[in-house]
Amino acid sequence: ESFLSDAVSHASLAGIAIALLTSTEPIFFALLVGIVMAIAVVFLKKRTDISPDAIIGITYSMLFAIGIIILNLNTSYKPEIETYLFGNILYIGINDIIYALVIFIIISLLITFLYKKILYVIFDKEAAFIRGIKVEFYEYIISILIAVTIIVSIKISGLILVTALLIIPGSTARLLS
């Protein structure tokens, strides 16, 4: 799932580019692109013989390229794009804080209520399936939660660093345990 987080952060550039081109709120288009990508990756992993890493790589490269093309359609310079690429905590507005808080509450509630099933699916898909857990459904939920978390974090930490903020703590915890 770490490659998925990197891919979603880069693919969201397409949504951000659409929003900047249309002068609308970037988080909505970025969320849409991120969620669609997460769903597409899980869907394709289940229905093709292509390796999951290849599916993720192809999907995010395509969406990132679409984002670059859309950005180039806009002839006026948008300094806001640098905020999304590299992050800028000083550029965070009250709406960004509200979005992050709402997403935090929703994700916390979902994880609280679905914790055991999500944990089961993450660590032992076959046993979860045997127990009657709808593994594919929970894989979609996990991918969507990852995508939403990344998209909300992009404006603070940027497309480049958001992946490190998700991967490093988990990797460190695994090494320490």
Side-chain angles (χ1 to χ4, degrees):
E1 302 300 327
S2 60
F3 188 38
L4 178 64
S5 65
D6 186 37
V8 168
S9 70
H10 284 75
S12 68
L13 181 65
I16 292 167
I18 292 169
L20 292 176
L21 186 65
T22 59
S23 298
T24 55
E25 183 64 35
I27 193 165
F28 298 117
F29 283 105
L31 278 171
L32 179 67
V33 169
I35 290 170
V36 166
M37 184 194 165
I39 290 170
V41 166
V42 172
F43 180 83
L44 292 171
K45 280 187 340 187
K46 297 291 182 185
R47 287 162 183 81
T48 65
D49 292 331
I50 302 170
S51 77
D53 289 341
I55 291 170
I56 292 170
I58 292 166
T59 309
Y60 102 80
S61 298
M62 180 186 67
L63 289 169
F64 190 74
I66 290 170
I68 297 292
I69 291 167
I70 293 170
L71 283 174
N72 285 321
L73 292 175
N74 192 355
T75 56
S76 63
Y77 174 70
K78 296 278 187 181
E80 188 175 5
I81 192 63
E82 289 181 15
T83 298
Y84 289 101
L85 289 174
F86 305 110
N88 186 349
I89 200 158
L90 299 175
Y91 196 66
I92 303 301
I94 190 70
N95 287 342
D96 299 313
I97 295 169
I98 291 170
Y99 296 145
L101 186 60
V102 168
I103 295 298
F104 171 74
I105 291 168
I106 291 169
I107 289 175
S108 296
L109 289 172
L110 278 170
I111 289 175
T112 300
F113 291 116
L114 303 174
Y115 180 75
K116 288 182 181 178
K117 291 180 180 178
I118 288 174
L119 196 65
Y120 218 156
V121 169
I122 288 172
F123 286 108
D124 196 351
K125 289 179 181 150
E126 291 82 17
F129 180 76
I130 291 170
R131 290 267 186 154
I133 296 173
K134 296 177 182 177
V135 172
E136 188 172 351
F137 172 76
Y138 285 99
E139 286 179 334
Y140 281 115
I141 295 293
I142 292 164
S143 293
I144 291 169
L145 291 177
I146 290 169
V148 170
T149 301
I150 290 164
I151 301 304
V152 171
S153 304
I154 283 175
K155 199 166 184 182
I156 296 169
S157 60
L159 291 169
I160 312 293
L161 288 176
V162 73
T163 306
L165 292 174
L166 288 173
I167 295 172
I168 291 172
S171 299
T172 303
R174 185 175 179 154
L175 287 172
L176 294 175
S177 68

